[in-house]
Amino acid sequence: MSINIPKNTLKNRLWLLLLAFMALIIISSPTISFLNIISKYFIHLVGIFFLIGLIGYIINNTYVLLLGFGLCTIICLQLKNESETAFKNKSYANEEKINIALINLSDVKNTDDLFNLIAEKNPEIINFIEVTPDWVDILQAKLSTNYNYNLTQPTIDFYGKAFFSKHKIISDLNMTKDLSITIQHNLDTILLISIYITPSLDNMSIKNAAQQFNIISDLVVDTNYPALVFGQFNHVYWSPEIKNFKTMSGLKNCRNSSLPSGNEIQNELSFHNHHFNCFDIKDLRFKNGNKIGIFASYIKSNAITKSNLKSKK
């Protein structure tokens, strides 16, 4: 004997199944290779599903409302769980900050726009990535007056890097692909690491990226200094690779307060160890809207000077 399910009950079940199915896809997308592209656009999907929920509210359709707002909430929880809880805390306003600009020179088409933006933002430290030999003379000629210390590591591929600092560069570590320095910031010695992670296009590039993550993790774990790591990671911060990197290194990341424009993916990331609190991270853009990097601000915790004194004994 068959049982006739009322239409409204069947409809409810179908909507709930659709919600559960899409939620399962979203939750599992970072760990499944053919769904990975979905996870890279989580921030965009938040806006899309919120709009769907809003449309459901306007047209008085409960199913559309629950589907939109439900999926929006799931993604927001995913993103929140993968970034530092303390973010732009107002109690940090009067504490000592350090700010760093990360700039990808491959995105720069006009040098005047670049140096005007640097003058406007006035970062204490600038980390350039994708630095070719042609860029070195340009950067040193334009920046040496305000940035007395610099270290350049140009290459003909995308691994070239440079640091320009208003604070004294004490030392640098000899690294093949990445660039690491220590600077004197008032009373504190701070470790800065610039990284360009190989895009994971095949098994070899995935292996190379894993090696880079391991090298940086070991360096951060072994140091007694406060540490900041930033660069082009070619992964979003909620990807399995970045989750594993944070677990190995003990680093934390902060959410970017800027919304992506168009189909942009936020691959430029910044990480810090427990000696810092994140204050803000936002995109660096020219007036025409073109993104060239990020601007990160951190608060130095009270434990820094104590840690530095201990490491010098």
Side-chain angles (χ1 to χ4, degrees):
M1 182 178 67
S2 62
I3 300 176
N4 294 321
I5 301 175
K7 288 185 177 181
N8 62 333
T9 303
L10 178 60
K11 191 176 182 180
N12 290 343
R13 291 181 179 179
L14 289 175
W15 276 102
L16 288 174
L17 283 173
L18 178 61
L19 177 61
F21 177 70
M22 294 187 70
L24 182 62
I25 290 177
I26 288 170
I27 293 171
S28 60
S29 62
T31 58
I32 300 176
S33 57
F34 69 91
L35 293 176
N36 190 255
I37 187 65
I38 296 175
S39 70
K40 294 181 178 180
Y41 292 95
F42 270 0
I43 296 177
H44 302 76
L45 289 175
V46 167
I48 292 172
F49 287 131
F50 181 83
L51 182 60
I52 291 173
L54 193 61
I55 291 173
Y57 174 77
I58 293 172
I59 66 177
N60 197 26
N61 188 314
T62 305
Y63 306 115
V64 174
L65 183 148
L66 288 176
L67 183 68
F69 287 150
L71 294 173
C72 179
T73 301
I74 290 170
I75 298 177
C76 286
L77 289 173
Q78 287 263 90
L79 296 176
K80 181 182 180 298
N81 289 338
E82 296 305 326
S83 58
E84 186 182 14
T85 303
F87 180 61
K88 296 181 73 173
N89 192 322
K90 291 183 180 179
S91 65
Y92 297 154
N94 297 321
E95 297 186 31
E96 187 178 5
K97 300 184 183 71
I98 179 172
N99 55 69
I100 300 168
L102 170 68
I103 297 176
N104 190 327
L105 291 177
S106 69
D107 296 324
V108 176
K109 309 303 179 188
N110 187 304
T111 56
D112 289 337
D113 289 343
L114 170 65
F115 297 117
N116 288 338
L117 184 62
I118 290 174
E120 176 189 341
K121 299 298 183 182
N122 193 30
E124 298 173 64
I125 301 157
I126 311 172
N127 173 212
F128 293 102
I129 55 177
E130 299 202 39
V131 180
T132 60
D134 294 338
W135 270 108
V136 174
D137 290 339
I138 298 173
L139 296 175
Q140 290 179 337
K142 290 287 188 177
L143 298 175
S144 293
T145 301
N146 293 325
Y147 295 87
N148 295 328
Y149 308 95
N150 68 81
L151 181 66
T152 61
Q153 184 179 284
T155 64
I156 58 173
D157 56 22
F158 39 70
Y159 287 109
K161 301 175 187 68
F163 276 112
F164 280 75
S165 174
K166 294 183 177 182
H167 305 282
K168 183 179 180 181
I169 296 177
I170 302 172
S171 63
D172 67 281
L173 300 179
N174 186 16
M175 305 180 72
T176 304
K177 291 184 178 180
D178 305 308
L179 185 60
S180 176
I181 63 172
T182 56
I183 64 166
Q184 189 70 40
H185 190 271
N186 298 331
L187 297 177
D188 306 310
T189 300
I190 298 176
L191 174 66
L192 304 176
I193 303 173
S194 174
I195 183 170
Y196 187 104
I197 291 293
T198 306
S200 299
L201 303 176
D202 51 34
N203 290 334
M204 181 58 70
S205 59
I206 292 173
K207 182 179 178 181
N208 290 338
Q211 289 177 343
Q212 282 182 268
F213 279 128
N214 289 336
I215 292 171
I216 299 300
S217 296
D218 290 343
L219 183 59
V220 171
V221 169
D222 290 342
T223 187
N224 290 319
Y225 293 133
L228 295 171
V229 179
F230 29 83
Q232 181 82 27
F233 281 79
N234 287 302
H235 293 284
V236 288
Y237 69 78
W238 54 89
S239 69
E241 293 84 357
I242 297 298
K243 290 181 184 180
N244 187 49
F245 172 60
K246 290 191 294 183
T247 300
M248 291 190 301
S249 64
L251 294 172
K252 302 175 183 178
N253 74 285
C254 191
R255 293 190 298 275
N256 189 326
S257 62
S258 302
L259 292 175
S261 175
N263 63 349
E264 288 178 349
I265 299 175
Q266 293 177 337
N267 287 326
E268 300 92 353
L269 305 177
S270 180
F271 298 87
H272 58 283
N273 64 5
H274 64 280
H275 292 296
F276 288 100
N277 290 308
C278 175
F279 185 73
D280 192 18
I281 295 181
K282 58 184 67 176
D283 289 342
L284 271 179
R285 295 181 182 276
F286 290 139
K287 291 182 179 179
N288 62 8
N290 289 345
K291 180 181 175 181
I292 62 167
I294 57 175
F295 188 90
S297 298
Y298 289 96
I299 303 297
K300 296 159 66 176
S301 72
N302 294 330
I304 287 189
T305 302
K306 183 178 179 180
S307 171
N308 274 274
L309 290 174
K310 185 185 296 184
S311 66
K312 292 175 183 177
K313 290 181 179 180

